[in-house]
Amino acid sequence: MVAAHGAAMNAREEVLGRIRRAAGNGPAPATGAVPRAYRSRGDLRGSQLLDLLAARLTDYKCSVRRCWPGELASAIAAAILDRGARSIVLPPGLGLPLPDPATTGADLTLVVDDGFSAEHLDRFDGVITTATVAIAETGTIALDGSSGQGRRALTLIPDYHLCVVYEHQIVCLVPEAVAALTPERPLTWISGPSATSDIELDRVEGVHGPRTLEIILVAADGPAHATERGELCQST
Amino acid sequence: MSTFLGLPTAPAGVGHLRGSEPFPVAARRALADTQLRRNLAKATSTIRAKRARVVAELPDWEELREAGRAIKAHTLAHLDTYLEQLESQVTARGGTVHWARDAPEANRIVTGLVRSAMATEVVKVKSITTDEIGLNDALAAAGISAVETDLAELIVQLDHDRPSHILVPAIHKNRSEIREIFLREMADVDPGLTDVPAALTQAARQHLRRKFLSAKVGISGANFAVAETGTLCVVESEGNGRMCLTLPDTLITVMGIEKVIPRWADLGVFLQLLPRSATGERMNPYTSMWTGVTPGDGPQDFHLVLLDNGRTAALADPDGRPALSCIRCSACLNVCPVYERVGGHAYGSVYPGPIGAILSPLLTGIEDNASLPYASSLCGACYEACPVKIDIPSILVEQRARHVEATHGRSAEAITMAAAAWAMSDPARFAAAQRGGQLGRLLARHGVIRRLPSPLSGWTAARDAPAPPRETFRQWWRRTGRP
């Protein structure tokens, strides 16, 4: 074919031509439907999903706090104070109840991302975002860059990432998350803080991405009993 | 350059698909390195246990494997259609697609793109494909320095060494060896550095931080590319991938043509199969997916290089074609008794272990990697571990047959196999042959034969042959009678 078309044939046409010739060799391949007998929907609901997600996040060295919607503001404030973070960068459209630096008494600044350079982002102590979907079985949160989640660099450079996940955003399985996400958006799936196992297969948490990942899980409904409320709010 | 059914294989003289010596020679040297064997044994046994644990958690693992196999087989049968679809989707979303027939062409394309971005340094996220084509050498020749940012790749690059594992390229080095490399090669390292993995990891973070934050061009491979949406996917752990994919103005992704998958939903299969098979994790820490260019987020100049480099020759081989289904998880390396003892360097190619033993000869042509199909005991552990069910042992046997044919059927093995086929096809001849085999007892001392006569001496050069038994199974059956 090269001889027939000479130098005029470009790489694209030649590679596609090779593929067509290669495919013509040997028996015609089976092109039937792909068997999709794997689980595409999990059977856990509500608090079971929350429990599984919390356990799987913790297993991969992610800090987890659980709260009811009315307690979100104090949960966020407690997370930031415990961390000792002074400067926090926020994505536009975050829509979370944030502590007021004037009333907390702490030396805290909250700044909305204004297209800061990478070097500038490196000077922040942390970032607070929401997520689009969370996968309970794998302990994964997925961000798609929409309102409240920010561009990808925002959750990459600061060393501390605090992420708020609501119960209705949790799915059980990976295929459910894939179905829930929009592929045209820039997506980042995060399962625990950055890590490496490159030295003797010993897992070390904290490499180039945020070295600390903290998740606040917000249960869907208010507490039915005060005692349950106390248990749920414990940091795990 | 040789051809398979008229389709060119990967050209020699560029990249890293061929070793400088045959496998048995390299393996013998590796076996003598006790430190290497200790490192490998520890690492592979750790990762095997982790993988087994997370695979056992999934009730539908076999269904996922079957779906993975079928998606890949379907894709390879319609590869032209899906590549054209991928190209049009990436282009529609603001990316630029390039096609490369082979390694030199891919290297020329990438070098040209880096030059037009006016960069003299690029940050790279681990990519076996760019190692396959020798991209770093090509960039260096053009005065461009490529900084490997994966911790293991950085270790290997600083030590002027070669990767020895698909997933953990520095698996052959232990912590004290790594500490020595950092102290010797990192200009800015703390001289009090210890060999604790966490300390070594922090040294790498500091070393690379400035480079990430100021990088103009990033280069990556791709784990998957979705034809229907034009979405590229890279899985990683450290965040170096996210740095390279997000911070530079220009991103160049080099991808073998076999990495395309048809549908977005297919990621739901592979993003379960890959992390559990690879690192033995339920999910790797970071997975990045991007489609073309997103204004205000990440690189605004995105180039995708689609690479053949012998893949169409492999595609044309109906027996070898399934090797192109490989998702580079390295599970087959970790379960292989041969890999565990000799390590990755002995295979001479960027693709070591069982998958490398079939993939490298398919890409280069059997004559350039003739000893690799023999780098296996055919125990079958690799097939069992493979998340897309590549029947590696059967392909190894096919390639051995092809090698025997290529050497005109005159090798000792070919003669032996032909003689065995003749003898075993007739019961009387088989019985006579077995009785003849008993004569081998004359060569044995203490139940083993240390040296067989030529042409079988090759077998006993590396191992003893058991002495044939006093009587054959048939003789024993006749003597003891039916139960």
Side-chain angles (χ1 to χ4, degrees), chain B residues 144-192:
Chain B
I144 300 159
S145 64
V147 180
E148 293 291 351
T149 63
D150 173 82
L151 176 54
E153 284 285 349
L154 176 69
I155 293 164
V156 166
Q157 187 181 44
L158 287 174
D159 199 34
H160 315 287
D161 194 5
R162 299 280 315 142
S164 70
H165 189 279
I166 289 174
L167 195 78
V168 226
I171 198 171
H172 57 292
K173 295 195 190 300
N174 65 22
R175 61 186 71 191
S176 63
E177 293 169 304
I178 293 165
R179 174 179 170 269
E180 282 167 26
I181 294 165
F182 281 10
L183 288 174
R184 192 179 68 232
E185 301 287 338
M186 274 184 187
D188 47 355
V189 77
D190 169 12

Side-chain angles (χ1 to χ4, degrees), chain B residues 1-340:
Chain B
M1 188 189 295
S2 69
T3 61
F4 188 85
L5 296 170
L7 294 165
T9 50
V14 57
H16 303 284
L17 283 172
R18 297 162 173 83
S20 54
E21 55 194 359
F23 179 82
V25 177
R28 196 166 292 129
R29 195 176 44 252
L31 282 169
D33 184 342
T34 51
Q35 180 68 59
L36 174 72
R37 288 173 67 183
R38 257 200 305 278
N39 295 353
L40 283 170
K42 179 173 184 235
T44 53
S45 63
T46 304
I47 204 163
R48 279 199 300 269
K50 284 178 70 183
R51 176 190 166 277
R53 205 158 48 233
V54 296
V55 163
E57 272 181 15
L58 292 191
D60 55 348
W61 182 250
E62 287 308 316
E63 286 78 8
L64 286 166
R65 283 181 80 208
E66 179 54 24
R69 184 204 63 75
I71 292 166
K72 285 289 187 176
H74 169 87
T75 309
L76 291 174
H78 304 280
L79 194 55
D80 55 339
T81 309
Y82 288 124
L83 286 171
E84 285 183 303
Q85 196 183 1
L86 175 69
E87 178 188 43
S88 77
Q89 290 297 326
V90 169
T91 308
R93 297 277 307 180
T96 308
V97 177
H98 309 259
W99 299 71
R101 282 166 276 218
D102 53 27
E105 189 165 31
N107 289 336
R108 272 198 305 277
I109 292 168
V110 176
T111 306
L113 290 169
V114 176
R115 275 192 173 140
S116 50
M118 317 271 257
T120 52
E121 183 173 277
V122 298
V123 287
K124 282 184 72 200
V125 48
K126 183 176 76 174
S127 151
I128 318 172
T129 307
T130 59
D131 198 15
E132 170 193 323
I133 62 177
L135 178 62
N136 290 6
D137 298 338
L139 290 172
I144 300 159
S145 64
V147 180
E148 293 291 351
T149 63
D150 173 82
L151 176 54
E153 284 285 349
L154 176 69
I155 293 164
V156 166
Q157 187 181 44
L158 287 174
D159 199 34
H160 315 287
D161 194 5
R162 299 280 315 142
S164 70
H165 189 279
I166 289 174
L167 195 78
V168 226
I171 198 171
H172 57 292
K173 295 195 190 300
N174 65 22
R175 61 186 71 191
S176 63
E177 293 169 304
I178 293 165
R179 174 179 170 269
E180 282 167 26
I181 294 165
F182 281 10
L183 288 174
R184 192 179 68 232
E185 301 287 338
M186 274 184 187
D188 47 355
V189 77
D190 169 12
L193 182 70
T194 68
D195 68 357
V196 177
L200 295 169
T201 303
Q202 290 319 306
R205 176 184 162 104
Q206 269 176 12
H207 177 73
L208 289 173
R209 194 92 183 152
R210 289 296 125 205
K211 295 191 187 295
F212 282 135
L213 298 185
S214 61
K216 295 284 168 262
V217 178
I219 296 178
S220 84
N223 291 98
F224 307 102
V226 181
E228 74 171 351
T229 60
T231 307
L232 275 292
C233 175
V234 166
V235 306
E236 48 123 3
S237 298
E238 299 171 8
N240 62 311
R242 293 180 67 192
M243 293 277 181
C244 294
L245 300 170
T246 310
L247 299 185
D249 307 321
T250 300
L251 172 62
I252 305 165
T253 300
V254 182
M255 172 191 128
I257 51 174
E258 81 283 17
K259 293 291 183 69
V260 67
I261 56 175
R263 283 164 299 269
W264 173 246
D266 296 334
L267 280 177
V269 175
F270 293 112
L271 290 180
Q272 294 189 77
L273 290 172
L274 181 54
R276 288 179 200 258
S277 301
T279 47
E281 293 167 306
R282 296 185 189 101
M283 190 63 79
N284 48 290
Y286 295 135
T287 300
S288 295
M289 292 170 240
W290 72 98
T291 306
V293 169
T294 305
D297 188 346
Q300 297 301 296
D301 190 19
F302 170 54
H303 297 267
L304 176 63
V305 182
L306 298 173
L307 174 75
D308 180 352
N309 206 38
R311 284 160 177 79
T312 48
L315 189 69
D317 179 343
D319 299 312
R321 179 182 294 179
L324 293 176
S325 303
C326 175
I327 57 172
R328 312 280 189 267
C329 71
S330 69
C332 64
L333 277 61
N334 302 325
V335 300
C336 178
V338 176
Y339 178 87
E340 184 176 352

Side-chain angles (χ1 to χ4, degrees), chain A residues 37-82:
Chain A
Y38 55 88
R39 296 169 301 154
S40 56
R41 248 185 102 76
D43 43 17
L44 299 183
R45 297 287 173 267
S47 64
Q48 293 173 306
L49 276 178
L50 273 172
D51 290 344
L52 181 60
L53 177 61
R56 294 286 153 93
L57 287 168
T58 308
D59 199 22
Y60 282 157
K61 307 294 185 277
C62 180
S63 311
V64 178
R65 288 169 193 265
R66 297 174 64 165
C67 71
W68 302 105
E71 300 163 332
L72 183 55
S74 54
I76 292 172
I80 295 171
L81 287 177
D82 289 356

